[in-house]
Amino acid sequence: MATVSNVNPHSRGPLQEYDERVHSHQLRNDEHQRGLVQNLQDLHDMLVEYTPPKVVHPSIRSLKPRSKSWIGSLFQNKPTRKLATQIPPNLPKGLYMYGDVGSGKTMLMDMFYDTLPPNITSKTRIHFHNFMQDVHHRLHVMKTEHGDDLDAILYVAADIAEKGSVLCFDEFQCTDVADAMILRRLLEALMTHGVVLVTTSNRHPDDLYKNGIQRQSFVPCINLLKTRLRVLNLDSHTDYRKIPRPPSGVYHHPLDKAAVSHAEKWFRFLGDPDNDPPHTAVQRVWGRDIEVPKVSGQAVWFKFDELIGRATGAADYLELMRSYHAFIVTDVPGMTYRERDLARRFITFIDAVYESRAKLVLTSSVPLYQLFMSPDEVHDALDSGRAKGDVALPTDGEDVDDVMRMMMDDLGLNMQMLKSSSIFSGDEERFAFSRALSRLSEMGSREWVERGLGLEHRGGKGEKEGWERVRSRWREDSL
């Protein structure tokens, strides 16, 4: 595996490099491409301030299975609760860039890799197929030396992490069952050691290892990629105004530097800054004024505290839905049992957005599946549910994060989990929280986001006008 010392003689970031290439006529200035490079720049800026943790190798003894004998168990520590995540909280969110042939994957990776900041002293770039061959070879050597019962993945991950704190993959894919069975633990172990992952692929994470053997066991890896890396679609889709669609999904966490540009890009795309520059507005509801801090076209931008932190309710949200069709809400916190009033208010807002078929863009401090229950709360609910026989026992390798991710996509599992928790006051409240997660998942889908935007591949301006008629009928029905 080729790891090299990082050299950036001009100390330029990706955006400066792009501008230089445009200026020298190596590249044509393209708004979609510039938006993609901005994502590289966001990560570059975070890496400037990043200090990776010291890599600590696990001992060989700790990687052996626990002794089943009574005497052997006396000399081993009791197992402790597995942490929901051992990944350092300051680990910058990596990138997963996917697109068809000719979408610029290689150029973007070159630009990012060649302009890494000087404090990143070593870096690794490798074709993903070659990387996995190297990993399997290392695992074979470890097991040959220490026995087949050794959990060698954690040791190999530490070896790789020692070589460099930024690991770049070209052409991420998974076609082999042997790769599929170890990938999630391998990537998670690398992140645990502070390695920032950046990869290109020709397909979205959801399409990896499709129809593969035991694919269900690969789903946690897909969820890890979608949660811990920023997924960017490199293929350009423009609307009837010729404005490129932002490459990322509508939800972003954590509240890092990239969160700001995420919100700005979506506000510009969903609003109409050329004809209606951002401004403040006031909506009147039952004799009260609702201050709207930023409006452009039919898009509005609120901070969470400006919208949910105030004494607002269903009537306020309904009036906003009648006036606007896209909502950017930033700085959304995780809400545990201590913030139940805020959570209930936010769920009322989510219901209003969903029922009016509006768009929702969020930046949050935690992943969506942790918005209403912390990992500790879910762990307690799991323990309670399993003790009662209401919740299935864990499968091999499953942890709390896996369960919480699955809750986003499975309303039934969500309800089952919430019923096992004592923090909800009754079935009606449990259902409201469960339904909110389900609706957030649906509103984050590509189908929901692109509907009514007039994207060229969906029918352009005619498609947008048709959707406006649907929205108009909803406004009439809601009066």
Side-chain angles (χ1 to χ4, degrees):
M1 189 178 301
T3 300
V4 299
S5 298
N6 182 39
V7 178
N8 182 359
H10 303 293
S11 297
R12 286 200 291 252
L15 208 51
Q16 291 172 295
E17 179 66 23
Y18 180 79
D19 287 337
E20 178 62 30
R21 294 186 191 185
V22 169
H23 180 72
S24 62
H25 305 292
Q26 298 177 56
L27 292 175
R28 176 176 56 85
N29 193 24
D30 177 84
E31 189 171 0
H32 173 68
Q33 206 165 61
R34 180 175 290 279
L36 294 170
V37 175
Q38 180 62 59
N39 289 286
L40 305 182
Q41 185 67 46
D42 289 339
L43 178 53
H44 175 98
D45 292 344
M46 286 185 274
L47 287 171
V48 168
E49 301 173 359
Y50 178 57
T51 302
K54 180 178 174 59
V55 176
V56 178
H57 276 76
S59 67
I60 297 298
R61 181 180 178 184
S62 70
L63 301 178
K64 288 281 191 175
R66 291 179 58 80
S67 172
K68 295 182 180 179
S69 71
W70 177 77
I71 295 177
S73 66
L74 294 176
F75 298 95
Q76 291 180 322
N77 294 327
K78 293 182 179 179
T80 57
R81 174 189 291 192
K82 182 179 178 181
L83 297 176
T85 176
Q86 298 170 310
I87 297 173
N90 69 327
L91 179 72
K93 197 169 187 176
L95 297 174
Y96 182 106
M97 301 180 285
Y98 75 98
D100 293 332
V101 174
S103 59
K105 296 191 292 287
T106 301
M107 182 204 73
L108 289 168
M109 181 65 92
D110 289 344
M111 194 175 292
F112 174 77
Y113 190 75
D114 293 341
T115 61
L116 281 167
N119 61 301
I120 302 300
T121 55
S122 58
K123 57 188 181 181
T124 306
R125 181 176 179 182
I126 186 171
H127 192 282
F128 188 71
H129 176 71
N130 296 337
F131 172 76
M132 290 308 300
Q133 283 189 322
D134 179 73
V135 166
H136 284 298
H137 173 71
R138 291 170 184 252
L139 292 175
H140 174 72
V141 171
M142 290 288 295
K143 287 177 178 288
T144 299
E145 185 175 349
H146 299 288
D148 286 338
D149 60 349
L150 183 77
D151 184 6
I153 292 176
L154 300 178
Y155 199 93
V156 168
D159 272 349
I160 296 170
E162 269 190 332
K163 304 296 184 185
S165 54
V166 175
L167 177 55
C168 297
F169 296 130
D170 289 300
E171 302 299 333
F172 189 104
Q173 59 179 327
C174 183
T175 57
D176 185 84
V177 64
D179 292 350
M181 293 304 101
I182 68 170
L183 253 178
R184 178 274 178 91
R185 293 191 63 232
L186 175 64
L187 297 180
E188 193 166 48
L190 288 169
M191 294 179 193
T192 297
H193 288 300
V195 175
V196 178
L197 300 179
V198 177
T199 184
T200 65
S201 181
N202 61 1
R203 58 188 65 197
H204 189 279
D206 285 336
D207 295 327
L208 292 169
Y209 198 54
K210 268 201 166 176
N211 304 315
I213 299 171
Q214 299 182 47
R215 187 176 190 269
Q216 192 58 34
S217 298
F218 185 69
V219 171
C221 181
I222 293 173
N223 288 329
L224 178 72
L225 292 171
K226 293 195 297 183
T227 303
R228 292 292 178 176
L229 305 184
R230 195 173 187 196
V231 179
L232 304 178
N233 183 357
L234 305 188
D235 298 324
S236 177
H237 295 300
T238 55
D239 67 8
Y240 71 99
R241 300 166 298 160
K242 307 301 181 187
I243 295 179
R245 179 194 188 279
S248 61
V250 289
Y251 305 140
H252 176 91
H253 84 279
L255 298 176
D256 53 17
K257 290 187 176 181
V260 178
S261 62
H262 172 86
E264 289 173 345
K265 287 172 189 171
W266 277 106
F267 183 64
R268 182 176 184 277
F269 179 65
L270 295 171
D272 190 9
D274 293 336
N275 299 309
D276 186 22
H279 58 279
T280 60
V282 175
Q283 294 292 325
R284 195 147 183 87
V285 182
W286 292 359
R288 292 187 300 108
D289 288 340
I290 303 176
E291 295 181 9
V292 184
K294 190 180 287 188
V295 181
S296 174
Q298 290 185 297
V300 292
W301 182 339
F302 286 94
K303 290 183 178 179
F304 180 87
D305 285 343
E306 294 170 336
L307 180 65
I308 308 300
R310 299 174 179 173
T312 51
D316 304 299
Y317 306 144
L318 193 60
E319 185 59 35
L320 289 171
M321 300 306 141
R322 293 193 187 104
S323 303
Y324 308 106
H325 72 192
F327 295 82
I328 290 83
V329 182
T330 58
D331 302 328
V332 179
M335 289 160 274
T336 64
Y337 70 92
R338 297 182 184 87
E339 296 87 22
R340 278 293 171 255
D341 287 342
L342 280 179
R344 293 186 188 99
R345 207 174 295 156
F346 190 45
I347 286 171
T348 302
F349 171 74
I350 291 168
D351 288 341
V353 175
Y354 181 87
E355 288 160 10
S356 69
R357 298 298 187 264
K359 315 295 182 193
L360 181 61
V361 177
L362 299 177
T363 67
S364 58
S365 61
V366 296
L368 289 190
Y369 58 82
Q370 292 181 13
L371 276 182
F372 305 125
M373 290 181 76
S374 70
D376 284 342
E377 288 172 331
V378 171
H379 196 289
D380 291 341
L382 280 170
D383 286 348
S384 175
R386 285 166 181 161
K388 297 175 185 175
D390 296 334
V391 178
L393 294 174
T395 57
D396 288 343
E398 178 185 272
D399 64 13
V400 172
D401 257 16
D402 292 333
V403 174
M404 296 180 79
R405 290 183 191 112
M406 287 188 291
M407 286 170 66
M408 281 293 298
D409 302 317
D410 187 340
L411 187 61
L413 173 65
N414 200 343
M415 282 297 291
Q416 190 179 38
M417 282 298 308
L418 297 186
K419 284 181 179 179
S420 299
S421 172
S422 61
I423 62 178
F424 297 96
S425 61
D427 285 344
E428 186 175 340
E429 184 175 270
R430 292 187 184 102
F431 180 76
F433 278 75
S434 180
R435 184 181 61 191
L437 284 177
S438 178
R439 288 182 165 183
L440 282 171
S441 182
E442 184 178 352
M443 289 191 289
S445 69
R446 179 175 176 178
E447 175 68 26
W448 186 286
V449 172
E450 293 187 350
R451 190 168 51 197
L453 292 181
L455 295 177
E456 289 180 341
H457 70 285
R458 289 186 176 271
K461 191 172 183 178
E463 187 264 352
K464 178 179 176 64
E465 291 172 347
W467 183 243
E468 281 299 322
R469 289 192 289 271
V470 173
R471 285 270 302 166
S472 178
R473 285 195 293 271
W474 173 83
R475 282 191 286 267
E476 292 172 3
D477 293 342
S478 67
L479 289 174

